[in-house]
Amino acid sequence: MASPDDLKFQEFEEATDLLSSNPGASTLSISSPGTGASSGDVRLNLSDDEENQQENSELLGGEKQTGGFWTFAYYQSFFNIDTVQVLDRIKGSVIPLPGRNFVRHHIRSNPDLYGPFWICVTLVFSVAIMGNLSTFLNNKGDPGFHYRPQFHRVSIAAVTVFLYAWLVPLGVWGFLTWRQSVERQISGYTFLETVCVYGYSLFIYIPTSILLTIPLNWMQWLLIVVAMVISGSVLVITFWPTVRDDTKLTAFATMAVIVSLHALLAIGFKMYFFQLPTYTGSSPPAQHITPASNHSSSTMG
């Protein structure tokens, strides 16, 4: 049977040789409960482990800091979104529901510029191309009409859409920020969230521009009004909670300006890109025949 002395910890010569060859190695001494452990008995180097744990916690908590605004990583965060999120936000902009704030239900977790940018680009080409097609379809029965592609409409559409999608949100964000400093109870959104709302609210005009090629004036106006109501509802439902606690005059004036600018954009699309001719199909031949008949009668006289 083993004696109690055989069960005690013993120091081996190999350990002594290792310590003599590497004096800076980490050691762990275990003392008996009866003896007091000195502060130098336990020497563990945990600096590397602490750094790794801190880095992992930053990654898991999303607290990893991006670079400055001059770096690519800063702008890359604005496009960090997947297709499912983009489709969900497009669906929310096409089907606005009362009480469902677009920012809080679709954007607040991750505002992006990917969706608004491509929506604006698609809208520019859609409006310009469909406007040219509408002009061709509306005048193809006129023998005096010669179709010429109007490429300058792409430039006009691009300037109009991108100025609206950036300058108007900038003005709204600046005004709401100023009102926050005046009225403490007023809530607001960041500039990126405001741009995101305006960008997604323009999506409804893409399918509308395709339907505007129908050569019926009343149908075109009906489509414009429906698109304007749907798109404007997104803005009203989103921005009304931020201004309703302000004075009544300021709140209603702010919403009136937002809706008016949005309506002006929609009406401008209709009046410039999809303007129908004011004459009927039989009018152009009558206009060509009338001068000829007057000339023949004057010659006979």
Side-chain angles (χ1 to χ4, degrees):
M1 187 173 185
S3 63
D5 295 335
D6 295 335
L7 300 177
K8 292 182 179 180
F9 290 100
Q10 300 179 5
E11 294 184 2
F12 298 95
E13 296 180 358
E14 291 81 356
T16 306
D17 295 338
L18 289 174
L19 289 176
S20 60
S21 61
N22 188 8
S26 299
T27 60
L28 176 62
S29 299
I30 301 177
S31 60
S32 61
T35 59
S38 62
S39 60
D41 289 339
V42 179
R43 294 181 296 171
L44 295 177
N45 186 8
L46 301 178
S47 58
D48 295 337
D49 294 337
E50 290 177 355
E51 291 178 359
N52 293 333
Q53 291 177 0
Q54 183 178 4
E55 184 177 359
N56 292 335
S57 62
E58 288 179 354
L59 289 174
L60 294 175
E63 299 177 357
K64 201 73 173 176
Q65 298 294 330
T66 58
F69 67 91
W70 60 86
T71 62
F72 178 77
Y74 178 81
Y75 297 96
Q76 187 179 11
S77 62
F78 299 152
F79 296 84
N80 185 20
I81 190 172
D82 55 23
T83 306
V84 176
Q85 289 177 310
V86 173
L87 294 178
D88 178 70
R89 295 175 183 187
I90 290 175
K91 180 181 177 181
S93 67
V94 175
I95 310 176
L97 299 176
R100 289 186 63 87
N101 190 305
F102 189 77
V103 171
R104 289 187 171 88
H105 287 83
H106 299 281
I107 295 178
R108 176 69 73 179
S109 60
N110 183 25
D112 72 289
L113 293 179
Y114 179 85
F117 173 77
W118 286 111
I119 287 174
C120 291
V121 171
T122 306
L123 181 61
V124 167
F125 286 98
S126 177
V127 169
I129 294 173
M130 294 302 152
N132 277 277
L133 181 60
S134 177
T135 302
F136 172 76
L137 294 176
N138 295 330
N139 296 277
K140 67 177 183 178
D142 185 5
F145 173 75
H146 299 283
Y147 175 73
R148 295 179 181 177
Q150 299 176 347
F151 295 106
H152 66 279
R153 289 188 173 185
V154 178
S155 302
I156 295 175
V159 172
T160 304
V161 170
F162 278 96
L163 284 182
Y164 176 83
W166 284 95
L167 291 185
V168 175
L170 178 62
V172 173
W173 170 77
F175 177 78
L176 294 179
T177 303
W178 171 68
R179 292 304 300 174
Q180 279 184 291
S181 62
V182 177
E183 300 288 342
R184 298 298 180 182
Q185 70 273 17
I186 302 300
S187 60
Y189 305 122
T190 64
F191 175 66
L192 182 59
E193 291 170 344
T194 307
V195 172
C196 202
V197 173
Y198 268 88
Y200 280 102
S201 68
L202 295 176
F203 176 81
I204 190 63
Y205 291 111
I206 296 176
T208 302
S209 64
I210 299 175
L211 296 176
L212 286 176
T213 55
I214 301 174
L216 295 175
N217 196 38
W218 66 270
M219 178 65 74
Q220 291 182 350
W221 280 112
L222 179 62
L223 292 171
I224 284 292
V225 171
V226 171
M228 185 172 56
V229 170
I230 294 175
S231 185
S233 298
V234 177
L235 301 179
V236 172
I237 295 173
T238 301
F239 290 104
W240 173 248
T242 63
V243 298
R244 63 184 175 187
D245 293 330
D246 206 335
T247 61
K248 289 186 177 180
L249 179 61
T250 303
F252 285 103
T254 303
M255 298 310 302
V257 170
I258 292 176
V259 173
S260 299
L261 292 175
H262 205 66
L264 184 63
L265 177 70
I267 296 173
F269 282 158
K270 169 65 177 69
M271 298 298 295
Y272 183 81
F273 295 97
F274 301 95
Q275 182 64 33
L276 292 176
T278 55
Y279 54 83
T280 61
S282 59
S283 296
Q287 292 176 358
H288 288 292
I289 294 173
T290 303
S293 59
N294 292 336
H295 177 72
S296 60
S297 60
S298 61
T299 304
M300 292 175 62

